[in-house]
Amino acid sequence: MLLPGLLAAQSVRTSASLDSAIIRIGEQVQLTLQVEYPQGEAGGEIGWPIFETELAPHVEVVHASQRDTLIVDDGGGASFVRIVQRLSITSFDTGYWAIPPFRFMVGGQAVETAALLVEVRGVQLDPAIAMHGIKPIHELPFSLLFWMRNNALILAGGALLALLIAGLVHRLRKRPTHTVIASAVKEVLPLHERVRRDLLALEGERLWQQGQHKGYQSRLTDLLRGYIEERYQVPAMERTTDELLHELRVSPLSNDQRQQLANMLHLADMVKFAKAVPTPHENEHMMAAALRFVHDTADRRTPIAPETTMSTTHA
């Protein structure tokens, strides 16, 4: 009885054959290795021989193909699995050279093919033709015309690049330069004034009067969150309302200021997520409360002075 996953050695047929047993020196011949076993029996336990660069002394492996697996019907209702691999071999020494048997491991047992013999014959020469030695390498004299013809594209590209560079240099030399003192004055406003300006600009757009309550509340609270993030170095834009209020417990804000901020953020959340519609009084009170919050918590230190830079321009 066969154990599951094993293959009986006596149920496996192996063979090795040559396309031709006679070759001329340096010619290649194909050696075919073949294994057959009944279909249905596990073939994963077949150990294939490992090939080196030489099969035997004076016999070299030129190429080894991948193994091909075929299902073959013997005509009597039985099917076999056939695994085939082909090797291209050659030899550069004349004589008779033996190729030893190939060994396959099947279920822990060795199964060998028959040994092979290949005859390597030399090349027959015509005795009427005199033999000559190998001629030395003939060095041709250097030809500038030949070299220029072979490197015409490189020479043309180099000449074109040189003309472009010369033209650019000539143009730059003729072009007058003028030094201009440019004052790059940047508008430097304190944070609370910038946010107040943006809040008043939002109020002037009259969004909630046009029914855009969600857009109005979203932009107003975004301005407040941006102010808090820059003023207190808290990632207010990334926090939920509850997370932000929790982090601001250790900020310089007073209890009244935190409560004022909480009322504004919770009202905006109701409008944005619960689709609540605030009254006109609530919208107006929201803007007034935001302006008062920014005013009461502002950092009124002196802003940085404007910068002045010098640049050179070409006429």
Side-chain angles (χ1 to χ4, degrees):
M1 178 181 295
L2 292 177
L3 294 176
L6 295 179
L7 193 62
Q10 57 267 26
S11 65
V12 177
R13 296 195 297 263
T14 62
S15 65
S17 60
L18 291 167
D19 283 357
S20 174
I22 302 174
I23 63 172
R24 289 184 297 182
I25 187 169
E27 284 186 338
Q28 296 182 17
V29 64
Q30 191 171 86
L31 188 155
T32 302
L33 297 178
Q34 183 171 293
V35 175
E36 286 187 355
Y37 59 87
Q39 187 180 14
E41 298 187 15
E45 295 298 326
I46 295 180
W48 207 266
I50 299 176
F51 309 111
E52 302 295 338
T53 56
E54 288 187 351
L55 290 182
H58 310 289
V59 180
E60 300 179 10
V61 177
V62 179
H63 173 73
S65 71
Q66 297 293 326
R67 292 193 287 270
D68 294 329
T69 302
L70 308 172
I71 305 299
V72 181
D73 189 349
D74 65 352
S79 298
F80 289 85
V81 177
R82 177 180 296 168
I83 305 176
V84 180
Q85 185 177 27
R86 295 175 175 84
L87 309 177
S88 296
I89 63 174
T90 188
S91 178
F92 296 96
D93 296 296
T94 58
Y96 291 88
W97 309 120
I99 301 176
F102 293 92
R103 175 174 294 185
F104 298 83
M105 298 302 296
V106 182
Q109 302 181 37
V111 180
E112 294 185 346
T113 65
L116 300 172
L117 184 66
V118 59
E119 179 186 357
V120 182
R121 297 178 177 178
V123 178
Q124 297 295 327
L125 300 177
D126 188 350
I129 300 177
M131 300 291 292
H132 299 280
I134 299 175
K135 292 184 178 181
I137 298 175
H138 179 63
E139 295 287 346
L140 293 175
F142 175 75
S143 172
L144 179 61
L145 182 60
F146 178 80
W147 181 87
M148 293 179 63
R149 187 183 302 118
N150 285 346
N151 297 275
L153 291 178
I154 298 176
L155 294 174
L160 179 60
L161 180 61
L163 287 175
L164 290 175
I165 294 174
L168 180 61
V169 171
H170 178 71
R171 183 171 182 179
L172 290 176
R173 285 181 177 178
K174 293 186 63 177
R175 188 176 182 182
T177 59
H178 302 277
T179 301
V180 179
I181 305 298
S183 177
V185 179
K186 296 183 179 179
E187 181 184 13
V188 180
L189 290 176
L191 172 63
H192 67 280
E193 292 187 13
R194 284 189 279 117
V195 177
R196 181 178 180 276
R197 178 192 59 189
D198 294 340
L199 286 171
L200 293 177
L202 174 62
E203 184 180 30
E205 294 182 25
R206 302 178 61 83
L207 293 180
W208 67 265
Q209 292 89 335
Q210 303 172 38
Q212 300 179 34
H213 298 282
K214 181 177 179 180
Y216 173 75
Q217 296 287 341
S218 296
R219 288 179 56 185
L220 193 149
T221 52
D222 284 347
L223 289 172
L224 278 177
R225 286 175 177 270
Y227 169 77
I228 292 170
E229 185 165 305
E230 189 172 347
R231 175 70 175 86
Y232 298 108
Q233 303 301 310
V234 175
M237 303 299 291
E238 304 172 4
R239 298 288 189 264
T240 64
T241 296
D242 292 338
E243 291 172 344
L244 177 57
L245 294 174
H246 180 77
E247 290 194 25
L248 290 175
R249 290 194 307 172
V250 295
S251 68
L253 292 174
S254 65
N255 291 333
D256 291 341
Q257 290 169 342
R258 284 198 299 273
Q259 186 60 48
Q260 181 184 5
L261 177 64
N263 293 338
M264 289 187 288
L265 295 180
H266 283 137
L267 175 60
D269 288 345
M270 291 291 293
V271 175
K272 290 189 288 184
F273 305 117
K275 298 183 179 180
V277 179
T279 65
H281 174 73
E282 288 175 324
N283 281 322
E284 292 175 351
H285 179 73
M286 184 79 161
M287 176 59 71
L291 289 169
R292 183 167 59 254
F293 177 83
V294 172
H295 178 272
D296 293 344
T297 60
D299 181 7
R300 291 180 170 79
R301 288 177 292 183
T302 304
I304 300 174
E307 299 178 359
T308 300
T309 61
M310 178 180 294
S311 64
T312 300
T313 60
H314 296 271

